[in-house]
Amino acid sequence: MQISEDEIRKRQRTLKEKAELLKELGLDEELSSAASLIEDKSIRETIERHDDRCSYNACPLNFLSFGLDEKGELLQFRTYVPGDPSRHCTLNRQTREMIYSKLPPILRELLPNKALSDYEIAEDKKLAAMTPEEREAYLKAKEEKFKKYLASAQQPKLKEVSQSSA
Ligand SMILES: [Zn+2]
């Protein structure tokens, strides 16, 4: 590839600009189109499986979800829209971060969001601005909320089970 990393960084200001850049690099919007650049076979397989299954509009592993503005700040091209077949990426954050860490520099430049979703980036920013005490309280409250959500999500299921077995 003849395009430098610096040029790649400069040519992601709009969705159209980035799509053209990908075309010149011989890639499409999916990460698996760059499989030949990824050495690790198991990572390649994980990415290919992901691209077959993930239908999240704003998938963090899709090259056209994020770009960079003139100042080099992260820019989001795609957001969750109601009616998305899938609201979230099929891979969890840990797996996406592991994939990102194994990518060659040229592909990292094409994923300036570092394989993180808009929600994760916003949460990281929020946490970074907090004091350690605030952070602890925030994370604790979040965990409580999640526990409550899990409990309420499980209840109707339990009812269904008891009804079908009756
Ligand atoms: Zn995905």
Side-chain angles (χ1 to χ4, degrees):
M1 290 190 199
Q2 299 101 329
I3 299 174
S4 70
E5 283 165 31
D6 193 44
E7 198 181 333
I8 288 176
R9 231 167 290 146
K10 281 183 195 149
R11 290 187 49 200
Q12 316 192 20
R13 280 168 301 187
T14 63
L15 188 65
K16 199 175 157 220
E17 204 174 71
K18 194 166 182 189
E20 264 166 32
L21 168 67
L22 290 172
K23 216 168 155 189
E24 280 173 42
L25 292 168
L27 306 172
D28 65 34
E29 60 190 74
E30 293 187 326
L31 185 55
S32 57
S33 66
S36 62
L37 299 171
I38 300 160
E39 276 179 45
D40 191 319
K41 189 172 174 246
S42 70
I43 303 267
R44 265 196 326 260
E45 283 169 355
T46 307
I47 291 170
E48 272 157 22
R49 221 174 309 129
H50 161 270
D51 285 358
D52 280 345
R53 291 179 192 167
C54 184
S55 47
Y56 181 31
N57 176 62
C59 174
L61 284 179
N62 187 299
F63 287 135
L64 291 181
S65 288
F66 291 89
L68 294 168
D69 67 13
E70 328 48 73
K71 289 181 195 146
E73 298 275 335
L74 198 61
L75 202 66
Q76 197 178 345
F77 298 137
R78 288 176 174 169
T79 52
Y80 165 70
V81 284
D84 261 3
S86 162
R87 278 184 62 216
H88 297 287
C89 184
T90 54
L91 295 175
N92 62 24
R93 176 174 183 161
Q94 210 185 351
T95 310
R96 279 184 272 114
E97 281 181 322
M98 182 274 291
I99 289 174
Y100 181 79
S101 75
K102 309 275 183 187
L103 295 178
I106 196 161
L107 297 183
R108 289 192 200 190
E109 294 297 339
L110 290 167
L111 287 174
N113 56 313
K114 298 185 166 68
L116 299 181
S117 70
D118 53 342
Y119 173 77
E120 288 158 351
I121 292 164
E123 280 291 289
D124 283 359
K125 254 193 202 160
K126 218 194 271 178
L127 287 171
M130 288 177 186
T131 65
E133 294 79 29
E134 283 170 339
R135 201 172 305 150
E136 199 183 326
Y138 177 79
L139 290 174
K140 215 172 165 183
K142 203 170 146 184
E143 204 185 304
E144 287 300 315
K145 209 174 149 189
F146 184 65
K147 270 187 202 159
K148 265 189 202 161
Y149 163 77
L150 271 188
S152 70
Q154 272 165 355
Q155 242 153 11
K157 266 187 203 158
L158 288 174
K159 229 188 251 168
E160 270 170 43
V161 169
S162 62
Q163 267 170 0
S164 60
S165 64

